[in-house]
Amino acid sequence: MRELFLKTLELTDQAGKQRRYEYSILIDEMDVGPFACESYGIKVAEKGGEAISIPNLTCSVARIDELSELLLRNGVTPITVSDVVQDWL
């Protein structure tokens, strides 16, 4: 599995503490019957803290771009990324 780094966001939490989050696209292969296709997932990691990786969400470049833009635009953190992805699917 490879990671394509997208961006680092600095966000302020409810307590006023600055936190840094790194966003990446995960690139892997997924078996589809007798064939394999490139699949894409997402990773959100707090610098020095929690990280979550969700592989194999889609085989579409356009869809993973849409999801990554949504996560970045809304500053989604590792704690809430699973809920956002579930709604997105």
Side-chain angles (χ1 to χ4, degrees):
M1 182 179 310
R2 300 179 320 221
E3 282 187 37
L4 174 64
F5 174 76
L6 295 173
K7 191 173 187 175
T8 299
L9 291 181
E10 291 193 24
L11 304 172
T12 305
D13 67 11
Q14 293 177 340
K17 182 179 178 184
Q18 280 289 111
R19 298 184 179 269
R20 295 181 68 181
Y21 299 98
E22 294 182 344
Y23 297 79
S24 301
I25 292 176
L26 303 174
I27 304 167
D28 203 359
E29 285 189 1
M30 182 170 34
D31 290 331
V32 183
F35 305 102
C37 66
E38 196 165 66
S39 67
Y40 306 99
I42 204 79
K43 178 179 177 183
V44 180
E46 181 178 2
K47 199 77 159 158
E50 186 177 351
I52 187 164
S53 297
I54 308 172
N56 302 325
L57 291 170
T58 183
C59 290
S60 168
V61 173
R63 290 280 289 159
I64 202 63
D65 283 345
E66 174 188 309
L67 176 60
S68 61
E69 288 174 18
L70 174 75
L71 297 176
L72 286 165
R73 182 175 55 248
N74 292 293
V76 176
T77 66
I79 295 170
T80 57
V81 72
S82 293
D83 292 333
V84 173
V85 168
Q86 284 293 345
D87 291 344
W88 176 81
L89 290 172

